[in-house]
Amino acid sequence: MLDKHAFIQSVQRVRIWYGALILVIGVFGVRLFYIQVIQHDHYEAAALSDQLKQYQIPATRGLIEVQNNSSLLPIVLNQELYTLFADPPLVKQPNQVAQKIASIIGGNPSQYAGLMSTKNTQYVVLAKKLSAQQSTAITNLQDPGVGTQGQDYRTYPQGSLASQVLGFVNDDGVGNYGIEQALNKQLSGTPGELKAITDTNGVPLAATKGNIQIAPKNGDNVVLTLNLSMQAQMEQILQKDYQSTKSQGLSAIIIDPNNGQVKAMANYPTYDPSNYQGVTNPALFQNGAVTNAIEPGSTMKIMTTAAALNQGVIQPNTTFFDPAHWVVDGFNITDIEQDGGPRQQSIASILNLSLNTGATWMLMQMGGGQIDAQARNTWYDYLTKHFRIGQPTGIQQGYEQVDPVTPPADNGAGIDLTYAEMSFGQAIQMTPIQVAAADSSVLNGGTYYQPSLVAETVSPSGKVTKTPPKVVERNVVSPKVSQDMIPLMEYVVQQHLASGFGYLNFPSNYMVGGKTGTAQIAQAGGGYSATNYNGTYVGFVGGDKIQYLIVVYNIDPNVPGYAGTYGGQPVFADLAHMLINDSYVTPKTQ
């Protein structure tokens, strides 16, 4: 038997253990209440976050098509390839999985294993651009920690054709350069979204109410104004003339001056958009016809003549005495070639002989007989407001370049000389597309159309939205001035043909006119090169009316004479003959 003292001690020990037990139970109860009631929402969200996976469902990027006779032909398509990804927490044996992956797609197993062991992430990309067969083989591994997701990549069934107009789409699905950049939002559409509740292995539980899916909205298809055959032949011509003139670069545009639609636009050298990663010179990505602003040389005399005619200070048959040089701000303005010295000249001979003194004289007439504030302000108004030089054309291309026009106020730095030089195409820079849009307005009756590369768009539902011609400016010049300019430019072609340029012999039932430009190349340290020139040309072809305007920029050609005559004019002639020979031009009816 226990004595009384031992009994009491035993009871006390029981009470202590009992109290401790009650205390522990109380602590657990309070903690359980705190977790289940007070912190219920927090822990439910945490648990859900471990099982909730959010996936983006890519939209299908719109196709790009071109005119091919009476039908449309895709020039940019999509090819579905697959991205291989991993959810590192779900990969239990990364080294073994990495070996299996490498046996399917190649590559470095240790690199895959390292990625699949990444901490604090549930998504890592192991590889891109897998084929459908490789994707199926990965799926057959039945490893919950790895998977593939389809993604569209651009393919180019026509190779490098129109590559600088098109641009490309990078691996992140973003359009770069050209149409792909300018219309990236419209082409790319809107991705969808899938939030899936998964089991512990990451397998979506399709029956749960927590799954939310937003369907992707695919991008629009875009139909370009380009004519496939015209574009292809232009590119062949540029490559040939690039080599024959030993050029540093060639750009050309064929535009319909009556609505602003670009029918062909190209540059050489070019690149293959399917292998844009292999391009070592990023300048090849640029569409030089839109981004390469240079001093256009004597092709500017088309605008100078049109402005003076529109002001009424000259007439098409006006003659004047040309002193063969002018002194402006202490500098002599002469012609590249002394065409007979001081003598009587005409508006036609200014264009044909490309007289800088003649262009300066026309500028003087805008000021009442001298270069002054009135002449400068008038010429500036025509350049910036009528011809819209110094402003973007708005063509659907990335990186359109615009250079400002020097304001007419006296800047104390020979402003009269600057404006005299601007009258014959120096001291001012323009891109081929700016020249094309401005000279189109000179020759089409006076309407400035925004140049366009998009004929129509087609929504995923099939709705067709045509792109109407956009009138930006009316009354650029009068319809009479346009009609007066046509025979003046035809005269230039006829006189050059008579001077021995036999390739300018066109059938008599077509109208063909043009103007050469030879521009000194500015040097980085100031001044101009005495030996290097750019060759430009602006011309038109048509029947009863002008149907196409052609602009050519030949950068620093190595030719035996004037860069415009021997570097720009032959390219124009090749393009004009192509348009006539392939029946793109309707001949005169009488």
Side-chain angles (χ1 to χ4, degrees), residues 13 57 60 72 102 126 141 160 164 182 224 256 283 324 359 363 394 399 409 450 461 467 469 474 579:
R13 284 195 296 270
I57 307 171
T60 299
L72 298 178
L126 303 181
L141 294 178
S160 63
Q164 290 155 327
L224 302 183
D256 184 340
L363 175 63
Y399 303 113
Q450 177 178 303
S461 65
T467 304
R474 296 188 187 276
L579 292 174

Side-chain angles (χ1 to χ4, degrees), residues 211-226:
N211 287 9
I212 302 172
Q213 184 171 355
I214 302 174
K217 180 183 178 183
N218 294 334
D220 291 343
N221 291 350
V222 172
V223 179
L224 302 183
T225 59
L226 299 181

Side-chain angles (χ1 to χ4, degrees), residues 161-436:
L161 186 73
S163 62
Q164 290 155 327
V165 173
L166 297 172
F168 60 85
V169 178
N170 65 21
D171 286 351
D172 295 323
V174 179
N176 287 253
Y177 301 93
I179 287 285
E180 294 281 22
Q181 177 176 320
L183 301 183
N184 182 65
K185 185 176 181 181
Q186 192 169 359
L187 285 163
S188 60
T190 306
E193 188 175 278
L194 173 65
K195 294 180 180 179
I197 305 296
T198 67
D199 63 16
T200 56
N201 291 322
V203 178
L205 304 176
T208 64
K209 295 181 179 179
N211 287 9
I212 302 172
Q213 184 171 355
I214 302 174
K217 180 183 178 183
N218 294 334
D220 291 343
N221 291 350
V222 172
V223 179
L224 302 183
T225 59
L226 299 181
N227 179 289
L228 181 68
S229 176
M230 203 182 291
Q231 178 74 24
Q233 291 185 81
M234 171 185 275
E235 295 191 16
Q236 293 170 4
I237 289 169
L238 292 192
Q239 181 177 4
K240 174 183 71 70
D241 289 332
Y242 171 86
Q243 294 167 348
S244 64
T245 63
K246 299 179 176 61
S247 168
Q248 296 302 305
L250 257 175
S251 299
I253 297 170
I254 298 174
I255 190 171
D256 184 340
N258 304 298
N259 57 25
Q261 288 191 351
V262 175
K263 297 301 181 182
M265 174 186 280
N267 312 275
Y268 197 86
T270 185
Y271 74 101
D272 183 353
S274 63
N275 187 34
Y276 71 88
Q277 301 96 330
V279 174
T280 57
N281 181 9
L284 291 180
F285 295 143
Q286 297 279 11
N287 180 358
V290 173
T291 65
N292 189 14
I294 65 171
E295 293 170 275
S298 289
T299 57
M300 172 63 88
K301 290 166 185 165
I302 297 172
M303 295 185 211
T304 310
T305 304
L309 286 169
N310 205 56
Q311 281 287 294
V313 296
I314 64 170
Q315 298 299 322
N317 59 354
T318 296
T319 61
F320 73 104
F321 181 78
D322 180 12
H325 81 283
W326 298 105
V327 178
V328 180
D329 288 335
F331 288 86
N332 269 325
I333 292 177
T334 61
D335 297 310
I336 296 176
E337 182 178 39
Q338 295 299 322
D339 293 292
R343 60 173 174 164
Q344 203 75 7
Q345 299 284 8
S346 66
I347 305 304
S349 65
I350 290 175
L351 293 175
N352 177 48
L353 299 176
S354 205
L355 301 175
N356 294 341
T357 53
T360 303
W361 176 84
M362 288 192 290
L363 175 63
M364 291 176 173
Q365 305 319 298
M366 297 184 208
Q370 60 183 335
I371 302 177
D372 56 11
Q374 177 183 328
R376 297 194 307 267
N377 283 316
T378 301
W379 186 215
Y380 181 81
D381 178 74
Y382 270 88
L383 286 171
T384 60
K385 295 181 180 179
H386 290 245
F387 305 135
R388 298 183 63 82
I389 306 303
Q391 302 179 59
T393 66
I395 193 168
Q396 302 93 342
Q397 290 285 277
Y399 303 113
E400 181 177 5
Q401 182 179 340
V402 175
D403 280 51
V405 179
T406 302
D410 190 347
N411 57 7
I415 191 66
D416 289 342
L417 177 63
T418 297
Y419 267 68
E421 290 177 330
M422 285 163 55
S423 73
F424 51 82
Q426 299 278 177
I428 186 171
Q429 294 189 321
M430 308 175 193
T431 61
I433 193 62
Q434 286 180 306
V435 172

